[in-house]
């Protein structure tokens, strides 16, 4: 009887060890699909944007014929476009900017009492907005944080009734960027 119990216990132990090793083997051979890369900007993403690489400064009426899109589009306007990462931000072989590219634009003007407006773009990826090549648009405060207007965070693919995306679509063959 002792021999039968001992044999049964030994058999159960071998079975358990066998199952554990199969379980471990299965875990090491199973691969989990990796999600597509995505960059999600937050209130810290654009902080210090005026210290980024100043790509271009344009004075006067915007040659892209933006009208009121970035406010103050007249002879007193000054537009500065900054790229985070400086000259290192380049397009890939397919002409697209990499996921995580950040661009900001500050427009100042003197007419009508003067003012300024800061807008930005971030290349999100992961199918965020395929019809806009995954760019997200923002309106920023002077400190680089994202504007909240009447409870609405001023960010997205379709903010301001899609004005940003529709205008930048004019240069979709240039990955939605007018200046670089």
């Amino acid at each position: 009887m002792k021999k039968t119990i001992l044999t049964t216990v030994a058999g159960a132990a071998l079975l358990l060890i066998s199952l554990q090793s199969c379980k471990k083997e299965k875990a090491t051979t199973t691969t989990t699909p990796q999600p597509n890369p995505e960059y999600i900007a937050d209130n810290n993403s654009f902080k210090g944007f005026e210290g980024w690489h100043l790509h271009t400064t344009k004075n006067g009426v915007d040659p892209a014929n933006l009208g009121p899109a970035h406010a103050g589009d007249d002879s007193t306007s000054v537009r500065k476009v900054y790229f985070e990462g400086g000259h290192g931000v380049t397009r890939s072989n397919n002409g697209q900017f990499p996921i995580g590219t950040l661009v900001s634009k500050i427009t100042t003007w003197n007419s009508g009492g003067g003012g300024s407006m800061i807008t930005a773009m971030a290349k999100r990826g992961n199918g965020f907005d395929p019809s806009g090549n995954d760019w997200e648009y923002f309106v920023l405060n002077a400190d680089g944080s994202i504007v909240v207007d009447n409870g609405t965070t001023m960010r997205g693919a379709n903010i301001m009734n899609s004005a940003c995306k529709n205008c930048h679509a004019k240069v979709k063959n240039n990955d939605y960027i007018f200046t670089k």
Side-chain angles (χ1 to χ4, degrees), residues 42-49 118 120 138-148 153-154:
D42 61 26
N43 268 331
N44 294 313
S45 299
F46 299 100
K47 299 271 184 185
F49 71 90
I118 306 166
F138 303 83
V139 178
L140 303 178
N141 294 304
D143 68 355
S145 62
I146 303 165
V147 168
V148 177
T153 304
M154 299 298 292

Side-chain angles (χ1 to χ4, degrees), residues 23-93:
K23 190 175 180 182
K24 285 180 185 176
E25 185 177 316
K26 184 177 182 182
T28 58
T29 58
T30 303
T31 57
T32 304
Q34 296 299 312
N36 292 327
E38 183 173 19
Y39 176 85
I40 301 174
D42 61 26
N43 268 331
N44 294 313
S45 299
F46 299 100
K47 299 271 184 185
F49 71 90
E50 289 184 271
W52 298 354
H53 171 68
L54 176 59
H55 175 66
T56 189
T57 299
K58 301 271 184 179
N59 297 318
V61 177
D62 195 320
N65 193 23
L66 300 177
H70 292 274
D73 194 26
D74 61 30
S75 62
T76 69
S77 298
V78 177
R79 287 168 302 288
K80 295 180 178 181
V81 178
Y82 300 88
F83 277 78
E84 196 274 333
H87 292 291
V89 178
T90 58
R91 299 170 193 275
S92 64
N93 290 339

